[in-house]
Amino acid sequence: MELRYKYRFNFFRFVNEVLLLTVCFILAFYILTRVYHRNFILLNVWMLPLLVIGWYFSSRSTKTSDDLNSKSLTANLYKTANSIFIQACLVILFFFTSHQTYNSKSFLFFYVLFLSILIPLEKLFYKRLMVFLQKKGMNKKRILVIGGGKTGMEFSNIIDGNMHLGYEIIGFLDDEQKPYLNGKYLGTVDKIDEMMESHSVEFDEVVVALPNRAHNKIKHIASVVGRNTVKLRIIPAYHELINSQYNVSIFNGFPMITLRHEPLDEIHLRSIKRVFDIVFSSLVLVLVCSWLFPLIALAIKLSSPGPVFFIQERWGKKNEKIKCFKFRSMKMMSKDVDENSGKYQQAKKNDPRITRVGAFLRKSNLDEFPQFVNVLIGNMSVVGPRPHPTPLNLESKEVIDNYLVRHLVKPGITGWAQVNGFRGETSDPSLMMARVNYDIWYIENWSLLLDVKIIFLTFWKTLVGDKHAF
């Protein structure tokens, strides 16, 4: 899709979703005032612009119109659920700041209910419409693939499995006639010259899926195709290393591909996160910890001998060693490292080292509250990958791929992996791998709204309970 049409299409989709959002708002308003005869004051109409702005920023990352980089309907619905969750948070925030408690729960329920019905239906309708139009041959683009190897076939499978994209592969050029091309073999790579001159086969785009060693052939193809009104795309042979957050830049004439885009590389975004950390941790320390800490300290002292706080060496940003503060939840003289195996002993269910008060503190996450001091000092953040003790880091980095990537940012009191169920013991390498993958996703997709969402989910899981907390 051409860039100008892509922008127009994205604008059309956004306007369409804003109209649906407005309909949901009006329906919720109507039900409260006409059906339940509730008093819904006119001031609340000013909530609508706030919700529209929130929807704009929360839905910008969906990229549903990216051609050749399709997202499944399930992935789009998941991102839609995230946007609806943020809408719910904004409604709660509006009612809280305007000091309203009446009717807020009823409005929130109906508004989120209608959003959860209409927005997914809109996306489902759009996808079905695109498939229908493509089957009718409308706006379909024909692709010639040069290279019938592993990369070319993987690309072909993606196109065949996503008809709504509007692409059709008309054939392959390859120096070997491979039987699995299913009758779509059109000749050797050199035949591209003849096809471009004679126009014997009609196609709109050429996708090159050749290995790096075919550099001269790729250069020749680019020259031939460039002289015609045909779009050329090249799949790099190292495409497996590139994820959806890659970045392309020009460095003194050399194209550079950055495999991992990290928003917090930008100093202004780091500053925003730091200001949020300072404000949030200061409020928690003053409003909550000022009276909660003495109570917890007294309970710890009465339950078992030993200090109130437990200070442990953990790894922070760029593997820097930091002193991580916690309330002591284990008995004195508990061993971190198993004397027989020499491995770090993670806390597990019914761990005999944990005291009765400690079990409650760990279950409710209260043992982590002293880390708000770490946040204020600056070696931790409210949200980020959880910091692990030094022995666990030394063990994990040898067996888990990309383990140290999680140390590109400051560690957090809570994180994306934790709210998705990956907290507690990770003795199984697959569990640690899943935690690392969630942490890397957070690093690559960071936003202030995502941090707020994680804080909300952490609070919610604390209220309803987490089976992995022990």
Side-chain angles (χ1 to χ4, degrees), residues 450-464:
L450 179 59
D451 275 4
V452 172
K453 174 183 175 179
I454 292 171
I455 293 171
F456 266 96
L457 288 175
T458 302
F459 179 69
W460 174 253
K461 282 183 172 288
T462 299
L463 291 179
V464 301

Side-chain angles (χ1 to χ4, degrees), residues 86-196:
I86 292 173
Q87 290 286 296
C89 294
L90 290 174
V91 171
I92 295 172
L93 179 64
F94 182 89
F95 281 118
F96 178 78
T97 55
S98 60
H99 304 290
Q100 298 181 56
T101 56
Y102 52 88
N103 302 330
S104 58
K105 292 181 180 179
S106 299
F107 178 83
L108 177 63
F109 171 77
F110 286 112
Y111 178 64
V112 171
L113 175 65
F114 292 134
L115 275 181
S116 301
I117 295 173
L118 294 184
I119 298 296
L121 283 178
E122 180 262 346
K123 293 186 179 297
L124 181 61
F125 171 78
Y126 162 75
K127 189 153 189 173
R128 293 286 176 86
L129 177 63
M130 291 298 102
V131 172
F132 173 77
L133 293 177
Q134 303 310 331
K135 286 182 177 179
K136 295 294 183 180
M138 298 178 63
N139 196 33
K140 181 172 288 187
K141 293 184 179 179
R142 296 160 60 83
I143 296 179
L144 172 68
V145 179
I146 300 182
K150 180 174 179 289
T151 300
M153 293 310 299
E154 288 178 353
F155 175 77
S156 175
N157 291 334
I158 290 175
I159 295 299
D160 293 340
N162 293 275
M163 295 180 59
H164 64 284
L165 290 175
Y167 291 93
E168 176 191 8
I169 293 181
I170 54 101
F172 293 82
L173 295 183
D174 195 280
D175 288 337
E176 296 181 19
Q177 185 170 355
K178 299 180 172 69
Y180 54 75
L181 292 180
N182 298 324
K184 289 190 175 182
Y185 180 73
L186 301 180
T188 63
V189 174
D190 295 335
K191 194 176 179 181
I192 184 66
D193 298 74
E194 176 189 336
M195 295 174 70
M196 297 302 298

